[in-house]
Amino acid sequence: ALGTLDFSLLYDQENNALHCTISKAKGLKPMDHNGLADPYVKLHLLPGASKVNMLKGGTLRNTLNPTWNETLTYYGITDEDMIRKTLRISVCDEDKFRHNEFIGETRVPLKKLKPNHTKTFSICLEKQLPIPHGGSARLQVMVMECRVDKTEDKSLEERGRILISLKYSSQKQGLLVGIVRCAHLAAMDANGYSDPYVKTYLKPDVDKKSKHKTAVKKKTLNPEFNEEFCYEIKHGDLAKKTLEVTVWDYDIGKSNDFIGGVVLGINAKGERLKHWFDCLKNKDKRIERWHTLTNELPGAVLS
C-alpha cells in the first residue's frame, strides 16, 4: 500500500565510502489533494544522531512513480560501521506550507553488504518502525543495547570524522599535513549546519609559529578542503612531536565554536598511533586515514 523502492548499495572499502544509489519508486501512497505526492528520499545511519548523519535527495513533483537516479554518499565509513550499523531509507512527501510527511521506510543492516560489490534491492516500503517496548527478556536486552549504543555514539560520532594525509618529504625536509575532508560534523548553527574550518599545530611549539588554518566552508557538515601544509622539521625530530588537528565552526562577531579534534603522535593510541608510525616508517609516501573527532582535546578550548 505504501509503494516499492529500488536502490543499490556499494561499500568502497579502500576509500571508506558507502554509496547509496536511489533509482526509483513505484506506486507510492498519495499524499496531496491532487492524489499525487512530491517525494524525496532521506538516509540515516543507525544507531546515531539523526541530524548529523542525515543525507537528503532531491524532490520530484506530482508523481507516485518517481525516477531519481541519484547517488548519496557517506564518507568516513569504517569496517566496524559496516558490522554494527543499519542504513534507514525513508521516502517522504515535501510540503511547502506544512511539515513534510512520512510515506514509508526500509532498513538494511550494512553487514549484508560485501566490500566492493554492488547489491541491488527492490523492497516494499513499511510504516515507521517503532522501538519496541515490553516483550521478551531478549528483546529488552536488545533495546537496552541499542540505547547504550546511542549514548556511546553521542560522545564520538556527533563530532564527526576527518580525513588526514601525512607524508614526510625528503625533498622539502618537512612533514606535509593534508586536510582532505570532514564527514558528518556536528551542527553548531541554528540552520542545522556549520561553517567549518580546520587548524593544525605541531607541538611542542615554543614560538607558537606552527599554526596553520584552512579556508572556511560555508553551511555544510561534509566540507571538502583539499589543503596541504608543510612543517619544516628533521625526520629524526618527528618522534618527539605531536600533531594537533582541531575543527571549528566560524562565527561572525562572537567566539568560534569548537566542533572536535584529534591528536596524532607517539603517545596516541589505535589508528592515530598507527597513522603516525606509518608516516615515520615510510618516507616520501602519502598515507591517508580517517579519524573520529572527539570533543575533548588538551589546549583546544581557545580558538
Side-chain angles (χ1 to χ4, degrees), residues 71-90:
T71 299
L72 302 171
T73 300
Y74 281 105
Y75 295 99
I77 298 295
T78 62
D79 289 347
E80 187 189 347
D81 290 327
M82 296 302 293
I83 293 166
R84 68 188 189 90
K85 296 247 179 209
T86 293
L87 180 68
R88 178 191 183 204
I89 306 176
S90 312

Side-chain angles (χ1 to χ4, degrees), residues 168 173 233-239 279-283:
Y168 186 81
Q173 290 286 296
I233 185 172
K234 291 177 184 170
H235 184 262
D237 292 339
L238 265 184
C279 171
L280 294 180
K281 283 189 297 186
N282 298 282
K283 275 188 183 179

Side-chain angles (χ1 to χ4, degrees), residues 229-289:
F229 308 121
C230 181
Y231 289 103
E232 288 183 19
I233 185 172
K234 291 177 184 170
H235 184 262
D237 292 339
L238 265 184
K240 304 170 203 163
K241 296 283 190 180
T242 58
L243 179 70
E244 186 179 282
V245 180
T246 53
V247 185
W248 299 82
D249 168 52
Y250 177 74
D251 282 317
I252 298 170
K254 54 179 181 171
S255 296
N256 297 331
D257 297 314
F258 174 62
I259 295 176
V262 63
V263 175
L264 308 178
I266 217 84
N267 296 316
K269 292 178 183 175
E271 281 296 308
R272 294 163 302 175
L273 176 62
K274 190 173 185 303
H275 196 179
W276 193 253
F277 261 138
D278 287 349
C279 171
L280 294 180
K281 283 189 297 186
N282 298 282
K283 275 188 183 179
D284 299 309
K285 184 179 177 185
R286 178 174 279 104
I287 297 164
E288 280 191 1
R289 288 270 158 75

Side-chain angles (χ1 to χ4, degrees), residues 3 23 43 67 92 96 112 156 167 176 201 214 227 299:
S23 303
L43 307 182
T67 299
C92 301
K96 286 183 180 177
K112 284 188 173 182
L156 289 175
K167 173 184 167 184
L176 301 180
Y201 289 92
T214 69
E227 295 191 39

